[in-house]
Amino acid sequence: MSDEILIVDGVSKSFPAGGGWLRQRRVVQAVDNVSFSVVRGNSFGLVGESGCGKSTLARCLLRLIRPDRGRVMFEGTDIVQLGRRALRRARRRLQIVFQDPYASLSPRRTVFQTLAEPLVVHGIARGAALRPRVQAALAEVGLPAEVAERYPHEFSGGQRQRIGIARALMLEPALIVADEPVSALDVSVQAQILRLLEGLRNRRGLSFVFVSHDLAVVRHFCDQVAVMYLGRIVELGPTRKVLEQPLHPYTRMLRLASPVPDPAARFKLPRIEGEIPSALAPPSGCPFHPRCPDAMPVCAAVRPRTVEPEAGRRVECHLYG
Amino acid sequence: MTEPVLAIRNLAVEFRSRDGWLPAVRGIDLDLAPNETLALVGESGSGKSLTALAIMGLVPGPAGRIAAGSSIRFEGEELVGASEKALDAVRGNRIAMIFQEPMTALNPTMTVGAQIAEAIRVHRGLGRDAAWRESERLLDLVKVPSRRRRMHDYPHQFSGGMRQRVMIAIALACRPRVLLADEPTTALDVTIQAQVLGLLEDLKREHGLAVLFITHNLGVVALIADRVAVMYAGEIVESGRVEAIFAAPKHPYTLGLLGSTLRIDRDIEALQPIPGSVPAPGALGRGCAFAPRCPRAVSRCETEPPPLEAVAPGRLVRCWMPA
């Protein structure tokens, strides 16, 4: 095999939900037997709509949430099985960037304190050695050195996201899990941040797991993409192939519903039926069958197996056997 | 173009600060015709949402106000400076508004049916039973499934997309002529967004609505707009038919927005982000507000604000150096 920095194998995570007095205990299967791998230096996209489990899965990769089952092999070690100290060591190489940098930065700490903290916690540097490292990280994300003494509320959304990225870079990671890193930003700022991430990937050879609901962003940034629906990967493959010749009817629906900035390509607004079902009561058989334009009788009864219609592509759909 | 139902001239909205009144919307003109969707496009801080609030007479006072010399005419009647009573007859009635997050606009302690019926009773003076039947009809119109049962549900029992349908039903309760839609699909998933946009399109056609659609998403604009007005720092910098704007953007800011927008249907070799960020209302220079970020800026742009001028029929651009 090629050099795979991350191998996710059969990961599942469920949460108890509702229940309570006299009520039946219920369980949400947020992530259901998910497997994929990321080649070193590549970006792997996880796409899907709200509630599909993409953010839970992202947190499982860093064991911010511990999976119920499965393995997360990062640079050869299973993150799920690590003890506390070994996990902390592994997390130097494995960092996360969140959607809302405002919520993920402490309002009472200066940028310097926020960026220096991981170095101190991991015993990498302290005292006078901190400042040059903080300044180097700020320069790398395109912020002037003097912002180090300021507080998060003094920055715009785009600048805060740069700070969030700088924090993730402090420990020289090999892989960054980015959970909707540009979704809260204005278009022009979104483009700035994507350019920054592209630069980091090229200069540092960083690998990314990039979680997004925006297929256009994923097309631009990711080599591979997995489409999730109700906790499962329903389609996986090279990004351009998946978006240009989608196999799964759900991928086709997402593709059709995504607006294109070109009135000449104006489509008749799709009359999409139905809503995303609740993960509390997933449909029988294929979970997509109630909304699927191609549904057959078998789809309501039997969950489709994963098939590989061509090398490097996977789909979970009865149309493909 | 048919006679506009809404005509805005020289609209300015300002906010009080330590340094006096700061302009957030700086003299905009807009016309909106029946059966037309005008997209008001811009990023955070461009003044697009404030424009809608001003039309509704909802600029939050006393820190904010509509500046003297502004005019908003609805069916020929001046709204700026009109009495509360006169305004009440128009806003929420002949001009309705829907928002990005319907949950904040819905009452969590009332069933959905009761809320729609209340709007009908207040605005149309129908009796209890007639209002309830009308509510059911409206939920049907916005395609909420199993409406009889759902009339008795509370807003939290609805999904985001269904809540936005309820908001649209309430907005339609008073048979408005103008609908102000402020990022109504931004918080929704793409498949749900497509459903709600399709619904708005049908309603516009069937009822001859004039829709002012506020969004930052150029993909949505290309999908639904007849005309487009691009706002930057409180001003309209470019406006025209949607096909013309996308085919040949003239203002460097419009060009920059399009250059920053990724497409699902094609590869973009190199993203061309606009450098810098939107200026604060108090931090505007003497010249063009976009000049500090503009790749085409010349010295005149720093000192002299460009006027909004016609470059073709129905096409206006505010730039000394248009593309």
Side-chain angles (χ1 to χ4, degrees):
Chain A
M1 270 322 277
S2 51
D3 181 16
E4 285 166 336
I5 187 168
L6 184 76
I7 301 170
V8 178
D9 180 19
V11 164
S12 296
K13 178 68 196 175
S14 61
F15 295 104
W21 195 66
L22 281 185
R23 267 200 247 155
Q24 207 187 345
R25 259 207 172 292
R26 296 195 291 180
V27 159
V28 177
Q29 193 67 48
V31 176
D32 188 4
N33 194 20
V34 163
S35 301
F36 66 89
S37 60
V38 182
V39 174
R40 192 179 292 275
N42 272 12
S43 300
F44 187 92
L46 285 173
V47 303
E49 299 183 281
S50 352
C52 73
K54 58 192 191 296
S55 284
T56 302
L57 175 58
R59 281 158 179 74
C60 285
L61 302 182
L62 291 99
R63 218 174 97 189
L64 297 173
I65 294 172
R66 191 178 186 138
D68 301 331
R69 276 192 308 282
R71 297 187 305 157
V72 178
M73 302 295 294
F74 173 64
E75 297 193 313
T77 34
D78 185 359
I79 297 283
V80 181
Q81 300 303 331
L82 289 181
R84 281 184 54 168
R85 294 185 61 177
L87 178 63
R88 179 184 280 191
R89 248 196 327 277
R91 281 196 185 141
R92 284 190 202 172
R93 311 267 304 148
L94 184 60
Q95 290 282 312
I96 186 163
V97 172
F98 294 100
Q99 170 175 1
D100 179 1
Y102 202 51
S104 63
L105 295 173
S106 166
R108 298 187 194 190
R109 289 197 186 155
T110 63
V111 170
F112 177 80
Q113 288 167 327
T114 293
L115 298 188
E117 186 193 26
L119 296 175
V120 176
V121 167
H122 287 270
I124 291 167
R126 59 198 174 101
L130 293 172
R131 188 147 308 260
R133 285 184 181 246
V134 167
Q135 284 178 353
L138 287 174
E140 187 158 16
V141 299
L143 289 172
E146 57 266 25
V147 306
E149 304 316 320
R150 288 161 56 187
Y151 291 88
H153 75 265
E154 300 177 61
F155 297 96
S156 67
Q159 290 169 321
R160 285 198 285 259
Q161 194 55 287
R162 287 175 195 269
I163 297 167
I165 293 165
R167 181 176 55 184
L169 294 176
M170 292 312 294
L171 298 170
E172 311 276 332
L175 186 143
I176 289 184
V177 176
D179 187 4
E180 303 266 13
V182 297
S183 303
L185 305 174
D186 274 319
V187 204
S188 68
V189 184
Q190 180 172 326
Q192 291 174 4
I193 298 295
L194 282 172
R195 268 263 285 257
L196 169 64
L197 294 176
E198 282 166 13
L200 292 172
R201 186 178 53 190
N202 298 340
R203 275 200 310 278
R204 290 177 169 242
L206 273 172
S207 313
F208 282 91
V209 172
F210 193 95
V211 180
S212 181
H213 69 281
D214 186 336
L215 294 186
V217 171
V218 166
R219 169 164 192 149
H220 185 72
F221 195 75
C222 299
D223 306 286
Q224 301 271 314
V225 65
V227 181
M228 290 186 71
Y229 192 75
L230 286 179
R232 298 182 71 85
I233 291 180
V234 296
E235 177 161 4
L236 182 151
T239 307
R240 192 184 302 177
K241 279 193 175 173
V242 170
L243 294 184
E244 281 181 358
Q245 295 121 24
L247 296 174
H248 199 285
Y250 178 59
T251 316
R252 275 207 290 276
M253 181 186 280
L254 276 183
R255 169 75 182 74
L256 265 180
S258 301
V260 170
D262 181 359
R266 200 167 190 157
F267 52 86
K268 198 170 156 357
L269 280 160
R271 294 292 181 258
I272 292 167
E273 293 300 317
E275 299 213 291
I276 305 159
S278 161
L280 270 171
S284 61
C286 169
F288 187 60
H289 84 263
R291 301 174 77 194
C292 183
D294 304 316
M296 308 172 283
V298 65
C299 302
V302 183
R303 167 163 281 176
R305 282 175 312 145
T306 303
V307 290
E308 274 192 45
E310 53 188 277
R313 294 192 74 172
R314 254 164 56 190
V315 62
E316 235 180 51
C317 176
H318 286 301
L319 290 175
Y320 305 92
Chain B
M1 197 166 108
T2 41
E3 192 65 17
V5 57
L6 190 71
I8 297 171
R9 292 292 174 273
N10 195 30
L11 173 66
V13 181
E14 21 186 51
F15 281 92
R16 189 161 22 213
S17 78
R18 263 177 293 178
D19 312 318
W21 291 90
L22 294 178
V25 175
R26 302 187 293 144
I28 69 169
D29 295 352
L30 286 174
D31 282 318
L32 192 58
N35 196 22
E36 173 186 59
T37 299
L38 170 62
L40 199 53
V41 185
E43 299 183 282
S44 325
S46 61
K48 57 193 193 304
S49 293
L50 261 182
T51 300
L53 289 178
I55 297 167
M56 290 296 276
L58 293 175
V59 172
R65 68 178 185 195
I66 294 179
S70 304
S71 167
I72 301 171
R73 285 180 175 271
F74 171 74
E75 296 183 326
E77 185 190 345
E78 180 61 55
L79 300 182
V80 176
S83 69
E84 278 296 308
K85 192 161 170 247
L87 275 181
D88 277 344
V90 173
R91 70 176 170 214
N93 220 350
R94 311 294 288 147
I95 306 179
M97 185 161 177
I98 55 177
F99 301 90
Q100 174 171 344
E101 187 27 82
M103 200 57 195
T104 54
L106 292 170
N107 182 340
T109 68
M110 273 172 91
T111 65
V112 158
Q115 290 187 57
I116 304 175
E118 183 189 47
I120 294 168
R121 292 217 310 277
V122 168
H123 288 281
R124 277 165 56 188
L126 265 65
R128 209 166 265 278
D129 291 345
W132 189 262
R133 279 194 304 276
E134 178 68 2
S135 310
E136 283 191 350
R137 193 187 69 81
L138 285 167
L139 275 190
D140 207 31
L141 192 69
V142 297
K143 304 191 177 75
V144 170
S146 20
R147 61 186 153 84
R148 277 177 188 275
R149 178 171 61 76
R150 303 237 62 181
M151 290 279 283
H152 299 282
D153 282 347
Y154 290 88
H156 77 267
Q157 293 166 293
F158 282 65
S159 67
M162 284 298 151
R163 269 183 222 141
Q164 197 54 279
R165 286 169 195 264
V166 171
M167 274 309 299
I168 295 170
I170 292 176
L172 294 178
C174 314
R175 301 179 184 144
R177 297 209 60 206
V178 174
L179 180 66
L180 310 177
D182 188 358
E183 304 261 11
T185 60
T186 301
L188 304 176
D189 284 313
V190 283
T191 60
I192 310 302
Q193 165 169 282
Q195 290 174 338
V196 172
L197 292 177
L199 170 67
L200 285 173
E201 182 67 26
D202 291 348
L203 293 172
K204 180 190 90 171
R205 219 178 27 241
E206 286 157 22
H207 300 261
L209 275 176
V211 181
L212 183 67
F213 196 103
I214 296 171
T215 181
H216 68 281
N217 185 326
L218 290 175
V220 170
V221 173
L223 204 50
I224 56 139
D226 300 304
R227 286 189 303 130
V228 182
V230 181
M231 283 189 79
Y232 186 78
E235 289 180 320
I236 291 174
V237 295
E238 176 160 12
S239 65
R241 302 276 321 162
V242 65
E243 302 83 7
I245 297 253
F246 279 80
K250 298 276 181 209
H251 196 283
Y253 178 62
T254 316
L255 270 166
L257 276 184
L258 279 165
S260 299
T261 302
L262 293 163
R263 299 179 61 140
I264 191 179
D265 61 337
R266 71 172 64 148
D267 293 328
I268 289 169
E269 285 312 315
L271 266 177
Q272 304 286 340
I274 306 171
S277 53
V278 179
L284 295 170
R286 275 188 302 149
C288 169
F290 188 61
R293 305 175 73 188
C294 183
R296 301 173 67 86
V298 294
S299 60
R300 183 184 199 183
C301 306
E302 317 278 341
T303 53
E304 209 180 327
L308 189 61
E309 283 182 326
V311 292
R315 188 78 190 279
L316 299 170
V317 179
R318 185 188 297 279
C319 183
W320 294 125
M321 297 286 296

